[in-house]
Amino acid sequence: MINVIALIQVREGRLAEFVGIFKANVPNVLKEQGCIEYVPTLDATTGLSFQDLNPNLVTIIEKWATLEDLQAHLSAPHMVEYGKKVKDLVEGRSIRILTNA
């Protein structure tokens, strides 16, 4: 199994717009071969002193059956269209592709 953690830094004031576009695409992604999980998350306010809150960060949690499934996902037509829609909303991103220890 392949785990992906994608940290997407969204431009200030554009979070709701980004999340709306992302969520509209989730059903398409969940239909892809090998997609086990694909969910956007936001920092939870917990009051824990060690937490680093970022109100403009969306963390995407993904699970894929194989690396080949993930690679196919990246070039899927709905992902290409999604990329065009969010291009001007995103300031930066960091992607971690992981396997179980």
Side-chain angles (χ1 to χ4, degrees), residues 44-90:
T45 303
T46 64
L48 297 171
S49 62
F50 55 82
Q51 184 180 16
D52 181 21
L53 293 174
N54 183 333
N56 297 307
L57 185 70
V58 178
T59 302
I60 313 302
I61 300 170
E62 307 177 35
K63 292 185 184 211
W64 296 90
T66 68
L67 180 57
E68 292 76 20
D69 294 330
L70 172 59
Q71 289 171 321
H73 160 71
L74 298 173
S75 61
H78 56 269
M79 290 307 296
V80 172
E81 186 62 30
Y82 157 81
K84 291 175 186 175
K85 290 179 181 178
V86 300
K87 178 183 171 190
D88 294 332
L89 306 178
V90 173

Side-chain angles (χ1 to χ4, degrees), residues 22-41:
F22 188 94
K23 284 184 171 184
N25 195 38
V26 168
N28 297 321
V29 176
L30 292 174
K31 292 177 188 173
E32 291 181 45
Q33 178 177 322
C35 182
I36 298 165
E37 183 177 8
Y38 192 76
V39 62
T41 65

Side-chain angles (χ1 to χ4, degrees), residues 1 3-4 15 18-19 24 27 34 37 39 43 47 49 52 64 66:
M1 179 171 10
N3 300 288
V4 179
L15 184 67
F18 175 87
V19 170
E37 183 177 8
V39 62
D43 286 353
S49 62
D52 181 21
W64 296 90
T66 68

